[in-house]
Structures are given as structure tokens and as C-alpha cells.
Amino acid sequence: MTDLAGEVVASSDPSIAVGAAVLAHGYDLGVSRLGGYGQFTRVPAGYVVPLPEGLTARDSMAIGTAGFTAAMSVAVLE
């Protein structure tokens, strides 16, 4: 699985604005479709999440899938 974060350079979905800071993780990134190692990556609109205010792209990738998986595990245990 390859996470990605960056700026939208083109979008055919009106809910995703060009210039928006976004991230995507999970789904089939890095498995069935190219992940975040490319300079440009095209993903379905449903994969895209706005980058939360106050969180940099670098910070979001530091948390990444490991943090997300850990949070899901804690939620199940609770």
C-alpha cells in the first residue's frame, strides 16, 4: 500500500478543486494502481480526502497507514 499526499493539479470532479491539498491512502494504491511514488498520480475521486488544516503533507505521511491501522485496531478493541 502506498500513501500519497499533495496538491490537486487537475480534476474532473467538481467537489475536488484544483490547488487543494489532499491525501489518499489504502484502497488499491500501490497494488492494482500506481501509488504515491510518482510525481503525478491519478486516483478516483472517492480516494481523495482533504488534508486537515494544520497538518502538512509530510506530517500526514509520517502518520500514514501504520497510524490509521493502529487507530482502527484500538477502535475495535474498545
Side-chain angles (χ1 to χ4, degrees):
M1 183 176 332
T2 306
D3 302 328
L4 61 92
E7 180 181 322
V8 176
V9 296
S11 175
S12 59
D13 188 306
S15 69
I16 302 172
V18 171
V22 297
L23 62 95
H25 74 92
Y27 300 98
D28 59 353
L29 289 173
V31 179
S32 298
R33 72 177 59 246
L34 297 176
Y37 291 120
Q39 185 174 2
F40 295 96
T41 304
R42 183 180 179 142
V43 297
Y47 288 21
V48 176
V49 178
L51 192 66
E53 191 162 328
L55 188 66
T56 67
R58 181 179 174 94
D59 290 342
S60 72
M61 293 299 95
I63 297 167
T65 303
F68 179 74
T69 303
M72 287 178 25
S73 298
V74 170
V76 169
L77 290 172
E78 292 180 332

